Amino acid sequence: MPVIEYIEAIRLAMHEEMERDGDVFVMGEDVGLKGGVFGTTKGLQQQFGQQRSIDAPLAESAIAGVAIGAAMAGMKPIAEMQYSDFMFPATNQIISEAAKIRYRSNNDWNCPLVIRAPIGGGVFGGLYHSQCPESVFFGTPGLKIVAPATAYDAKGLLKAAIRDPDPVLFFENKKCYRLIMDEVPDEDYVVPIGKSNVMREGSDLTIIGYSMPLHFAMQAAEELSRDEGIEAHILDLRTLQPLDQEGILEAVVKTGKVLIIHEDNKTGGIGAEVSAIIAEHLLYDLDAPIRRLCGPDVPAMPINPPGEKHFLLNKDKVKAAMLELARY
Amino acid sequence: MPVIEYIEAIRLAMHEEMERDGDVFVMGEDVGLKGGVFGTTKGLQQQFGQQRSIDAPLAESAIAGVAIGAAMAGMKPIAEMQYSDFMFPATNQIISEAAKIRYRSNNDWNCPLVIRAPIGGGVFGGLYHSQCPESVFFGTPGLKIVAPATAYDAKGLLKAAIRDPDPVLFFENKKCYRLIMDEVPDEDYVVPIGKSNVMREGSDLTIIGYSMPLHFAMQAAEELSRDEGIEAHILDLRTLQPLDQEGILEAVVKTGKVLIIHEDNKTGGIGAEVSAIIAEHLLYDLDAPIRRLCGPDVPAMPINPPGEKHFLLNKDKVKAAMLELARY
Amino acid sequence: MKQAGSVQQKLRHSELGLSDERVISMYKTMMLARRFDERGQLLQRAGKVNFHVSGITQEPSQVAMGFAMDREKDWFLPYYRDYGFVLSLGMTVRDLLLSIFAKEEDPNSAGRQMPGHFGSKRLRIVTGSSPVTTQVPHATGFALAAKMRGEPSVAIVTFGDGSSNQGDFHEGCNFAGVHQLPVIFVCENNQYAISMRYEQQTRGRICDRALGYGFPGIRVDGNDPLEVYRVVKEARERAVAGQGPTLIEIMTYRVTAHSTSDNDLAYRTKEEVEFHKSKDALPVFRQYLTDAGLWSEEEEATLQSEIRSTIDEANEYAERAPFQSPEDSVRYVYAEEGN
Amino acid sequence: MKQAGSVQQKLRHSELGLSDERVISMYKTMMLARRFDERGQLLQRAGKVNFHVSGITQEPSQVAMGFAMDREKDWFLPYYRDYGFVLSLGMTVRDLLLSIFAKEEDPNSAGRQMPGHFGSKRLRIVTGSSPVTTQVPHATGFALAAKMRGEPSVAIVTFGDGSSNQGDFHEGCNFAGVHQLPVIFVCENNQYAISMRYEQQTRGRICDRALGYGFPGIRVDGNDPLEVYRVVKEARERAVAGQGPTLIEIMTYRVTAHSTSDNDLAYRTKEEVEFHKSKDALPVFRQYLTDAGLWSEEEEATLQSEIRSTIDEANEYAERAPFQSPEDSVRYVYAEEGN
Ligand SMILES: Cc1ncc(C[n+]2csc(CCOP(=O)(O)OP(=O)(O)O)c2C)c(N)n1
Ligand SMILES: Cc1ncc(C[n+]2csc(CCOP(=O)(O)OP(=O)(O)O)c2C)c(N)n1
Ligand SMILES: [Mg+2]
Ligand SMILES: [Mg+2]
């Protein structure tokens, strides 16, 4: 199976879905001739033309709102937000509109929309090119939210999102774009929305997370296995909304010790809900308090290197937390 | 001490602070001559003039954004969002701007802004006049969020919010406006932001919540005490951001059984964070799984009476959950 | 105006390409909207429903809009006062009463949303929400879809004067201008946004904003429905011909309170309201038909009694109809299996 | 243009009320901005810093803006290309280099934000962010505060052409129009928003949008800094006199890539860029001073060497300066005790 970059997996998913279905199109700032500021939509305009790879004016509420209209009309838009930090002007369109169209019309209308937005730091982007906006949208029923950590999942989840009849926020991690490469089959496949994935089997402690930090956990797990004989069980949520409750509980039961990790700041993050689900359903199976290792509760990460490093998770921080929990 | 309505407490707080400090002003749609759609700002324009009770064009991002500018210039604006459902167009101004001004300028600038927004249902307002938007803003460091349940707290917290040097979202419950009346002293006082309040002492189970549903819990607690001899300990969070961790943990230790209640839907709500805090710090003090009783995970409540009733918490639903937990 | 020049006036609708039947049908629809609206107010006052929002005096131009469009091909994004508009698109008074009573059979939302929140895929009426102006970019999106598919559909969207100050107005118009999309933006300028007079909302003319987006902006008298018809029809023709969007500002006046929850005399005088009531286009339109020899006292009497019985029946039906069950009221958050 | 009419031109700045010293100082500031900007590019190419965003060719009009305002009274809300603007307001090259190197002593953000995100309360420069156009309503808010307090302050805010399509532009302008606030909205139309040409962003003229808000909108040639000075000064006078806002569209061109992360030849030609480089206002302005007898080769040489050593020193200082400590980098989320 070919090994490809995470960003290439995203590009391929769009490319294949646009070939497969004439209703699929991409829209966003600079997505056309330039192919996006990260190059994610490169080549799409050349192949599919300006009508299906639309350079949109610099106005995120319109990008979302126009895409919502087109989706209600039966198209399948993929709206790109240049950085997830810049999707907040579209919040009203996403929360008041996209999320509520099916419900408010009693199933008469629906909104098969995908909004792609790069999340995460570590690229010296500072306060407004590094954020994780998950918590803003997580509490809104009617939205689905996915956040892949691997190229395989990126491609399969994006395809599933495009085919989904409801609005899906697709949070791709910009640090993963060129850093993460893995095997991706040539054949068509989807990764089902709503299913978590066990990345590593283990019996000593369970790590639950999503997106980039899982790679730190995987590296740390290898070292802990080799050096300490500690075996971590690692669960990739992949879908944040709806959370895979069953998958979470299974992963917890395996070890009885849970560390939740994400880059988004701790308070009000996805980790809180994961922890609450566990505390509601598996309290008596726990051998240690539920730990969360997340970004600090500050508005965003600074651009200067020591500040950025201090903010972000990395292998060493995750490993230390894992070790501490394993020894608990 | 005079007993006054919750809405009157809010009006009085604004009135007194405007008298006290010439930099304080209110701004929003219809806040002037009409005195707001609920009457919350009634009389302010008459007393303080059009310049300090400003009718703003129908544009929430400007209401927030202009208020932010004025706040940075040293004024103390109270921006009113007509319904919290309509504050989403201002999300970018609130999250990207108000919340980050102090941090991004390394303490050079700050933003002493209050945004008032009525939350909650039960007024036959349907999907877009009933929502609880807490979860959208809760995960954003740099914001403070308060949500009073009583007239006393409404007045004291609003005064504290107006005097606070940082942006505060003040979520007033529209169902409480005329339904909730309690003793409010004539003298100036503030309720400190960040401090929860024990509404009722008890030893059998702990209820943690905020805003309107606490009144259901109080009624249910009385009945349970009288009929079943069950004594509930009830904690009003009052401030949602920053959460009073110490207060929460103290309340939990009292009984070892926790029921968290709020009207906002369950997934991703404030209750998740409260539960996660407990699961992280007091796991071994718990005698039962942590329960959450919240709005269902649907986009918003319907306008038709049976649908609204089905969506909302009430005394009976809370009582049933309390009883079940007490008997656990 | 009514007496003199009637021979000339007789021709106005024909000149616009409106047959006698169509112009009569326009009048009937306006009257139906008016009577429905009055019933809504009555029901609220009688405590039978919680809430009503009125479009009285805005109906003539709303109906004119509807008649200027193509019900089979176009897309409609009305706002909450548009009873006249949606009635001209095929929604029935029964549908509207089911919505007022918030009953399950309400095609707009099964009684989930407030009245005035229209939506019916069958009628190509796009589901709307309460936060104002969000529908403007949606209309642009429908127009984009039509253009991409090569369909001769035009999207028409309405909103209030106050609502035109939302960012979404600007963004939705500008996008449509850049891509020259087949969409008509209609501002029903009734000179108030709840308590706020037009001058408190903006110092510009709304129609002038089109200039900044590179397409025509036209102001039209809402009390002249035939002129509204003409302007909308021309805008539609431009749109279909690939000449892009048009912004139309219909000058009208809100004679009722903002809604049944509002007391408008707290911020304006009875005299001001009475003045505008006296300019009501409905009797003028009837006079036009009469002068044109198309309408008589008898026909008026028959119409009124027909409308009354239609509304009475619908009212009774809607009042008796069941609410959506609580179990069903939490359905359709996402597609269900087999959807 | 350079030779002929020089006698007449000699008077231009004096006619505008600019003293010889001031107009020379303007030139020096433009040149300082240019050389600083070039250093920024160099540092990025040398791998010393990660990122630079350039304002080259936009500085002459930026400096003109700064000089037309009152540094003691007004409020300044620049956008990320405004080096010329902030240098004319009292920010130093050392401040800017500290920001480029993201060092603790950077007055803008202590090295927290990207370069080009200005802010200094002392200099009345309002802290800015990356999401474009959010500063427009802020400027309106500063103007509102000035009006409420009866202070003779004017807020001036800049933004790009692409950014003028955000809802916040519309909302911020309209609010200011309604309340006739002392604010100047300046669009630096450099004809690109990253890769997107002006025509892909809007079909209208940005200056025309003012009409819809009820205040004047003026388009001015950015390569004519004295004209920019005149227009901004007049707008300021109108503002102080209580006559409300002005929208100014400065026509310019972005000759560099969007930022050092962008490859502009993917979407435009070298020829197009060269054509606009040839219209650079900086040498023209120098010629103007020379023709006016205010500037010589020797003065130019001195200026260049002064600037070089200023920049070199600042560069060295900034490069050596410490970063904010990780512990401090998480401070100031909220006010700290005693704040
Ligand atoms: C985003 C948003 N903010 C506030 C409201 C509350 N609201 C409902 S109608 C209205 C006034 C609308 O005025 P206008 O656009 O002129 O329409 P009209 O009611 O006059 O027809 C307001 C402020 C809302 N529905 N949505
Ligand atoms: C809300 C938002 N969306 C997207 C971006 C990413 N972005 C940064 S600059 C830019 C283009 C701005 O163009 P323009 O306003 O013309 O200013 P210029 O860079 O040309 O000076 C974009 C899209 C952003 N900063 N903010
Ligand atoms: Mg109106
Ligand atoms: Mg530009």
Side-chain angles (χ1 to χ4, degrees), chain A residues 143-220:
Chain A
L143 298 177
K144 297 182 178 179
I145 308 178
V146 299
T150 64
Y152 179 89
D153 285 345
K155 187 170 178 195
L157 279 170
L158 185 47
K159 285 183 162 238
I162 293 167
R163 297 178 198 179
D164 199 280
D166 288 304
V168 182
L169 305 185
F170 185 88
F171 287 135
E172 50 200 60
N173 190 298
K174 69 177 83 72
K175 186 80 185 168
C176 291
Y177 276 157
R178 308 209 176 265
L179 199 66
I180 302 305
M181 304 178 68
D182 48 87
E183 290 193 341
V184 173
D186 281 326
E187 310 80 63
D188 182 48
Y189 70 98
V190 297
V191 170
I193 294 177
K195 286 265 163 278
S196 60
N197 178 45
V198 178
M199 287 182 102
R200 189 183 195 281
E201 300 269 354
S203 50
D204 295 322
L205 79 166
T206 299
I207 315 297
I208 303 178
Y210 61 93
S211 202
M212 184 63 203
L214 288 168
H215 298 287
F216 304 135
M218 289 293 284
Q219 294 157 11

Side-chain angles (χ1 to χ4, degrees), chain A residues 52-133:
Chain A
R52 293 183 64 201
S53 170
I54 302 176
D55 275 320
L58 177 36
E60 285 76 8
S61 187
I63 292 173
V66 172
I68 288 168
M72 285 197 279
M75 303 295 292
K76 290 176 182 154
I78 306 169
E80 177 177 305
M81 300 284 153
Q82 204 155 72
Y83 285 78
S84 66
D85 315 64
F86 303 142
M87 74 191 290
F88 297 129
T91 307
N92 191 42
Q93 283 290 348
I94 296 170
I95 290 184
S96 301
E97 301 298 320
K100 296 181 174 57
I101 281 165
R102 185 185 294 279
Y103 183 79
R104 78 182 182 217
S105 68
N106 196 48
N107 214 29
D108 189 25
W109 290 91
N110 69 321
C111 185
L113 162 72
V114 178
I115 295 182
R116 290 179 35 244
I119 64 170
V123 298
F124 301 119
L127 268 70
Y128 296 101
H129 295 77
S130 309
Q131 289 173 79
C132 289

Side-chain angles (χ1 to χ4, degrees), chain A residues 128, chain B residues 96-97 104, chain D residues 80 113 117-118 127-132 134-135:
Chain A
Y128 296 101
Chain B
S96 302
E97 301 299 319
R104 77 182 182 218
Chain D
Y80 48 85
Q113 291 217 73
H117 289 57
F118 308 110
T127 175
S129 64
S130 308
V132 299
T134 50
Q135 72 273 27

Side-chain angles (χ1 to χ4, degrees), chain A residues 180-323:
Chain A
I180 302 305
M181 304 178 68
D182 48 87
E183 290 193 341
V184 173
D186 281 326
E187 310 80 63
D188 182 48
Y189 70 98
V190 297
V191 170
I193 294 177
K195 286 265 163 278
S196 60
N197 178 45
V198 178
M199 287 182 102
R200 189 183 195 281
E201 300 269 354
S203 50
D204 295 322
L205 79 166
T206 299
I207 315 297
I208 303 178
Y210 61 93
S211 202
M212 184 63 203
L214 288 168
H215 298 287
F216 304 135
M218 289 293 284
Q219 294 157 11
E222 289 316 308
E223 293 186 10
L224 287 174
S225 167
R226 190 190 61 208
D227 302 341
E228 313 277 343
I230 293 170
E231 296 304 336
H233 190 79
I234 300 183
L235 186 76
D236 181 357
L237 292 167
R238 300 199 292 194
T239 294
L240 308 182
Q241 171 86 304
L243 278 172
D244 180 7
Q245 181 162 316
E246 210 177 310
I248 292 169
L249 299 181
E250 261 173 38
V252 173
V253 168
K254 285 261 181 181
T255 73
K257 290 179 173 182
V258 186
L259 173 67
I260 300 164
I261 55 172
H262 53 64
E263 185 175 322
D264 196 2
N265 64 287
K266 181 174 178 178
T267 299
I270 310 290
E273 181 64 36
V274 173
S275 174
I277 288 173
I278 299 167
E280 198 156 5
H281 292 95
L282 284 182
L283 192 75
Y284 297 111
D285 294 78
L286 292 174
D287 301 321
I290 305 170
R291 294 276 168 83
R292 287 178 289 164
L293 184 69
C294 312
D297 283 331
V298 304
M301 75 190 68
I303 193 168
N304 68 76
E308 183 179 276
K309 187 169 172 216
H310 185 67
F311 184 101
L312 283 170
L313 298 186
N314 58 31
K315 187 201 67 187
D316 292 337
K317 293 184 194 177
V318 175
K319 186 176 166 186
M322 286 167 72
L323 193 58

